[in-house]
Amino acid sequence: MKIPIMYNLRNLVARKVTTLLTVLGIGLVVFVFAAVLMLARGFRETLMSSGDPSNVIVLRKAATSEMSSSISRNQANILKTQPEVVVLDNGKPLVSGEVVVVNNLAKRSDGQTTNVTVRGVSQESLTLRSKVKIVEGRMLRAGTSEIITGKGAAEKFKGCGLGESVEMGNREWTVVGVFEAGGSSFESEIWGDVEQLMQAFRRPVFSTMTMKLKDPTQFASMKERIEKDPQLTVDVKREIDFYEEQSQNLGLFIQILGIFVTVVFSFGAMAGAVITMYSAVANRASEIGTLRALGFKRRNILASFMIECILISLIGGALGIFFASFLQFIDISTTNWQSFSEVVFGFNLSAGIIIGSLIFSVVMGLIGGLAPAVSAAKMQVVDALRAA
Amino acid sequence: MKIIKLVLKNTLRHKLRSLLTAIGIAVAIFAFALLRTVIDAYFVGVEASSDTRLVTQNAVSLTFSLPLSYKEKIAKIPGVENICSGFWFGGTYIDQKNFFARFAIDPEPFLELYPEYVLPESERESFIKERNSCIVGRKLANKYGWEVGDTFRLIGDIFPGDWDFVVRGIYDGAIRAADETQMFFHWKYIDERLNQTSPGRSGQAGWYYIGISSPELAGEISEAIDSMFDNSVAETKTETEKQFQLSFVSMVSTIITAIRVISVVVIAIILLVLANTMAMTARERISEYAVLKTLGFRPKHLVGLIFGESSLIAIFGGILGILITLWMVPAFYGVLKQFNMEGFFPVFEISKTTFVFCAIAALAVGIIAALFPTLKAVQMKISDGLRQIG
């Protein structure tokens, strides 16, 4: 015979203040826990989704970022003629040589200058990156000082909105279009014509080459052949792997700090739960005695108190997740050291994070409630009845 | 005197509860201290900057270089006492995990500009003499077990190729904030090789460190430098070393803001735990308070009782928290080291301010948590209190 859950629910309502404070404590910890996981996930997703599974990026050997890489025009011509590369209807290979530079621009929010990635692109760049879609205005025309900006850049940096203009490399560049890129890091970038940008920034070489493979399984054999070619001193990487490398450091740091702090917090919340449950047991000694006298077993008492604790922690957990879910409306931008440029990203909630946070809150409740529940179950009926 | 005895007795009535509350507070105080230490670590470069040093960089961004010819021109400006080229080398030591800052500089002016990097005279001389030599900070040397005379290789990315260096000196920081995880070597070493491999890139510096005669001249000299190169191929941006370092901090300002927000949440959590305990305690003792009032104790005595107990637990928790902090902050740094991330936080120490803040936070929490129960106890009618069942 189990003790009805109704008994626990009514008790939670009867001791409002204490219940509320414990729920809040657990809720806050779960909120922070979920927020950290969402942030680390958001950052990774933003960079990871920049890569396309069938795309390959070629960088100068040992280059750690697009900026520190350089590919000469001769090398670019050799790379363009690789047999694995997709050929378009007009007979051109689907390859884009791009130049990537970092330019200081002021933020709209506080006027502080920050490093913005400026990418010189060719007409093939859009075809290569299926996620990139112009949402306002139009694509830039080759050979002009027109630029298009990512949605994040358009919002965050001065002069990057549609119709505005930015000064870079002693020239004015007009924004003729704003694009979305499925939430990837391209949305924090400014795109202009590759030849024009090369002149303006006096960078006579490409930074990277990006190409689409007919068959992604041919990657390994192509990588081996190109990297052994004495005319080329390059590294060949899958675009996905490259962007994952770029997100490693910051993503890891957010996670280490967050998990560390959350684990520490959870001890505080558990201490809170233990205090609450112990006092609940002490205050309800006569109730426990009555329940035992009515014929409920020790294990029913144990189960009942454990259920109550899990209820409190579940309510707290749900509350924490509820408030954490609003974080999805916030965009954050920070400098990614590995690419030395600003990247805009958000909090990204997933079913996994929700389940993980709920499990985390239940575990807190279980650990917090175990000792008090055991002591409740151990009470002698006579003593318990006398306690009031 | 009696009140103090009562406070102590009351606190020890529920030993476990008081202890758990103190642990809750201790944990939160520790989290708070750790977060503050992380923020301090971000600002260490700013703390170490001198107000008689300026940095001139390319206005486009730090990734663009400046012609060498600028050096002569800047040196002629009145008030400029010293100038030194600087370059961020980047590159890789063994693999990408082994990150540490590597700078190409002009040894002599650099060591004059940065007296806080202390080198033995003999090491200083051999470093200046030898083109492919370098100096490394004490912490860095300890990490890789380098001694004077050891050689190692960096794989260049910004400056392609293999670069071999011989350690000719290990410097110590003269101030707390001095970064001992850096490596410095001859700018000429790079420039000579660029001259052979890609002549178009030689004769350039990443930025210039400038020593000025007095801090008051900073604004004037910055202006003079920037206007000198206005509308040229490479326009400049000159700022004090502090501003230069702050620009790196502001790059991660959102992260710092997030950490600050979490710190506030931490304090809120402690408050909840302690307030909960105090509310319970007061609820249990309502009838006792009524008895005390009947016996002629004044409200101020009750205030003293409740505040006393709350503060006692908070102070105990605070002390415990500071002890945990002293033990766990180095442990956290150890975790970062395991992931090879200490290069991002060269100095990671708990500052005095942090300790003071922790103490203030613990006390404030102790006082605030007692407010509500105190009000209740003071305003209660004796007859209601005697009737109450806890």
Side-chain angles (χ1 to χ4, degrees):
Chain A
M1 180 66 199
K2 282 201 197 72
I3 298 171
I5 287 206
M6 209 50 218
Y7 165 72
N8 302 113
L9 286 175
R10 292 179 81 149
N11 172 62
L12 293 185
V13 178
R15 296 182 166 83
K16 277 194 216 55
V17 179
T18 303
T19 305
L20 190 71
L21 287 172
T22 317
V23 163
L24 272 180
I26 289 181
L28 274 175
V29 175
V30 172
F31 172 81
V32 174
F33 181 76
V36 167
L37 290 178
M38 284 162 73
L39 195 63
R41 184 184 147 85
F43 180 67
R44 285 232 155 92
E45 283 282 305
T46 294
L47 283 167
M48 298 283 285
S49 63
S50 307
D52 182 310
S54 59
N55 282 3
V56 167
I57 186 165
V58 181
L59 300 108
R60 196 200 160 82
K61 200 159 214 53
T64 46
S65 67
E66 290 188 280
M67 258 183 0
S68 59
S69 164
S70 61
I71 307 272
S72 71
R73 290 189 191 262
N74 292 343
Q75 291 176 325
N77 289 334
I78 299 174
L79 290 166
K80 272 185 181 160
T81 54
Q82 300 299 321
E84 291 89 349
V85 177
V86 170
V87 178
L88 294 166
D89 297 342
N90 61 8
K92 275 183 155 181
L94 188 40
V95 175
S96 172
E98 297 178 347
V99 69
V100 179
V101 290
V102 170
N103 190 54
N104 275 332
L105 288 178
K107 285 189 206 173
R108 286 190 201 274
S109 56
D110 52 7
Q112 288 262 10
T113 57
T114 181
N115 292 310
V116 182
T117 299
V118 181
R119 185 182 295 273
V121 297
S122 59
Q123 295 298 309
E124 283 80 25
S125 298
L126 278 186
T127 327
L128 267 169
R129 300 188 174 86
S130 48
K131 285 191 188 126
V132 177
K133 304 232 170 1
I134 306 275
V135 286
E136 285 178 72
R138 54 171 176 84
M139 176 64 182
L140 61 99
R141 285 177 313 206
T144 62
S145 298
E146 292 176 348
I147 50 175
I148 54 173
T149 54
K151 201 179 65 169
E155 279 169 23
K156 290 253 188 292
F157 310 129
K158 275 188 189 155
C160 289
L162 187 68
E164 296 181 278
S165 63
V166 214
E167 200 217 334
M168 296 188 293
N170 296 358
R171 272 166 65 173
E172 282 290 308
W173 306 77
T174 318
V175 181
V176 296
V178 173
F179 63 88
E180 273 179 13
S184 71
S185 58
F186 295 131
E187 290 187 355
S188 318
E189 296 182 356
I190 297 177
W191 288 15
D193 177 75
V194 62
E195 297 295 335
Q196 297 298 314
L197 283 170
M198 275 189 183
Q199 283 173 25
F201 287 109
R202 296 174 188 80
R203 289 264 156 126
V205 291
F206 296 111
S207 301
T208 57
M209 301 284 290
T210 308
M211 47 184 78
K212 199 179 257 328
L213 299 190
K214 291 174 193 159
D215 174 4
T217 56
Q218 294 177 328
F219 169 77
S221 57
M222 170 176 149
K223 174 180 167 81
E224 196 179 359
R225 194 184 63 244
I226 294 181
E227 289 186 355
K228 275 192 180 151
D229 189 331
Q231 299 178 71
L232 302 165
T233 42
V234 293
D235 283 334
V236 181
K237 292 177 182 174
R238 284 183 198 274
E239 220 180 16
I240 297 180
D241 298 343
F242 171 73
Y243 283 108
E244 176 167 27
E245 283 168 22
Q246 296 286 299
S247 73
Q248 252 162 6
N249 277 346
L250 189 59
L252 193 66
F253 175 69
I254 294 174
Q255 253 168 326
I256 292 177
L257 182 70
I259 302 281
F260 205 85
V261 168
T262 315
V263 167
V264 166
F265 269 13
S266 63
F267 280 99
M270 281 190 276
V274 174
I275 295 165
T276 310
M277 290 314 287
Y278 259 119
S279 81
V281 171
N283 289 339
R284 284 144 70 182
S286 60
E287 284 177 31
I288 294 167
T290 313
L291 286 167
R292 291 291 310 281
L294 288 171
F296 287 108
K297 299 267 184 302
R298 285 176 192 272
R299 63 166 183 276
N300 301 134
I301 305 277
L302 181 73
S304 177
F305 273 92
M306 289 307 282
I307 285 169
E308 193 164 311
C309 211
I310 290 172
L311 272 176
I312 290 180
S313 54
L314 272 178
I315 297 169
L319 199 71
I321 294 167
F322 174 74
F323 284 111
S325 68
F326 287 99
L327 291 172
Q328 293 180 101
F329 298 109
I330 300 175
D331 268 351
I332 277 194
S333 83
T334 187
T335 298
N336 180 13
W337 289 123
Q338 278 160 293
S339 59
F340 199 61
S341 57
E342 195 84 3
V343 57
V344 181
F345 59 102
F347 291 85
N348 191 319
L349 188 62
S350 70
I353 292 177
I354 294 179
I355 294 166
S357 305
L358 285 177
I359 291 175
F360 177 65
S361 62
V362 168
V363 167
M364 276 197 287
L366 281 175
I367 297 174
L370 191 62
V374 168
S375 75
K378 273 190 178 160
M379 273 190 189
Q380 296 297 333
V381 183
V382 184
D383 296 343
L385 283 170
R386 205 178 284 144
Chain B
M1 208 51 234
K2 279 201 183 71
I3 290 284
I4 293 175
K5 208 169 172 178
L6 265 177
V7 165
L8 265 175
K9 278 235 184 303
N10 269 343
T11 311
L12 293 174
R13 238 203 244 176
H14 285 281
K15 289 191 189 62
L16 182 73
R17 181 198 295 169
S18 299
L19 182 71
L20 283 169
T21 310
I23 288 176
I25 294 171
V27 158
I29 288 283
F30 156 62
F32 180 72
L34 175 71
L35 293 172
R36 274 198 54 97
T37 307
V38 169
I39 294 177
D40 283 347
Y42 270 115
F43 278 92
V44 107
V46 178
E47 196 188 323
S49 32
S50 144
D51 48 10
T52 55
R53 292 195 290 248
L54 306 178
V55 175
T56 298
Q57 55 169 304
N58 189 306
V60 175
S61 74
L62 204 53
T63 58
F64 283 78
S65 53
L66 294 170
L68 203 58
S69 57
Y70 285 19
K71 204 168 160 177
E72 297 286 313
K73 291 180 182 160
I74 294 172
K76 283 187 189 126
I77 295 174
V80 173
E81 293 195 325
N82 206 335
I83 182 161
C84 164
S85 324
F87 237 135
W88 173 260
F89 181 79
T92 310
Y93 173 61
I94 303 174
D95 64 32
Q96 272 201 48
K97 285 200 190 76
N98 298 306
F99 170 83
F100 54 89
R102 308 159 186 131
F103 296 100
I105 44 97
D106 303 325
E108 263 179 296
F110 180 80
L111 290 172
E112 277 168 38
L113 269 171
Y114 284 85
E116 61 261 44
Y117 299 141
V118 182
L119 265 182
E121 191 53 34
S122 59
E123 290 179 10
R124 185 177 167 272
E125 277 171 24
S126 53
F127 168 52
I128 290 171
K129 269 204 280 267
E130 208 171 327
R131 188 56 44 95
N132 65 339
S133 69
C134 70
I135 53 170
V136 292
R138 178 72 53 194
K139 281 185 187 165
L140 190 64
N142 290 346
K143 184 180 174 179
Y144 295 112
W146 288 330
E147 284 167 17
V148 172
D150 286 356
T151 57
F152 62 92
R153 170 171 289 186
L154 297 180
I155 311 296
D157 50 359
I158 304 170
F159 304 98
D162 294 350
W163 303 79
D164 290 312
F165 297 94
V166 55
V167 179
R168 280 292 170 233
I170 295 172
Y171 70 84
D172 290 289
I175 49 173
R176 189 193 78 101
D179 183 349
E180 294 181 358
T181 66
Q182 309 171 95
M183 161 196 176
F184 299 102
F185 59 92
H186 290 241
W187 168 86
K188 276 215 168 74
Y189 185 44
I190 295 189
D191 198 56
E192 279 171 1
R193 187 177 311 182
L194 285 178
N195 222 336
Q196 294 159 6
T197 53
S198 46
R201 290 185 62 193
S202 68
Q204 297 277 326
W207 59 81
Y208 292 112
Y209 300 104
I210 293 157
I212 55 176
S213 52
S214 88
E216 292 80 54
L217 294 171
E220 204 178 307
I221 293 176
S222 302
E223 205 128 314
I225 295 172
D226 291 347
S227 59
M228 190 186 280
F229 304 112
D230 230 359
N231 298 323
S232 69
V233 192
E235 293 186 326
T236 60
K237 178 171 120 189
T238 305
E239 46 194 359
T240 60
E241 191 184 21
K242 194 174 207 131
Q243 288 167 323
F244 180 68
Q245 292 290 352
L246 269 173
S247 70
F248 287 103
V249 176
S250 73
M251 286 180 194
V252 290
S253 59
T254 36
I255 304 251
I256 292 174
T257 310
I259 294 175
R260 288 210 164 113
V261 169
I262 297 178
S263 317
V264 175
V265 173
V266 178
I267 300 295
I269 291 180
I270 334 183
L271 195 58
L272 283 176
V273 172
L274 186 63
N276 195 1
T277 301
M278 290 319 294
M280 268 181 224
T281 310
R283 221 185 6 253
E284 282 169 16
R285 300 184 191 156
I286 283 286
S287 51
E288 281 176 39
Y289 295 144
V291 172
L292 285 173
K293 276 190 172 178
T294 316
L295 291 173
F297 281 89
R298 310 256 36 106
K300 67 174 184 204
H301 295 124
L302 289 184
V303 170
L305 268 184
I306 303 173
F307 270 93
E309 187 175 347
S310 180
S311 310
L312 193 67
I313 295 176
I315 289 167
F316 180 65
I319 292 170
L320 200 63
I322 287 173
L323 288 176
I324 296 178
T325 304
L326 287 171
W327 164 59
M328 281 300 274
V329 165
F332 176 77
Y333 198 44
V335 173
L336 285 185
K337 273 187 181 161
Q338 288 224 302
F339 287 98
N340 274 308
M341 297 181 90
E342 78 271 36
F344 299 98
F345 297 112
V347 180
F348 199 82
E349 290 167 6
I350 315 157
S351 68
K352 289 190 186 76
T353 339
T354 299
F355 284 128
V356 172
F357 267 96
C358 286
I360 292 174
L363 262 180
V365 162
I367 290 166
I368 295 169
L371 282 177
F372 185 67
T374 310
L375 273 178
K376 243 177 127 168
V378 171
Q379 289 171 347
M380 152 199 85
K381 285 204 188 79
I382 294 182
S383 53
D384 292 345
L386 290 169
R387 210 178 286 138
Q388 175 111 17
I389 292 173

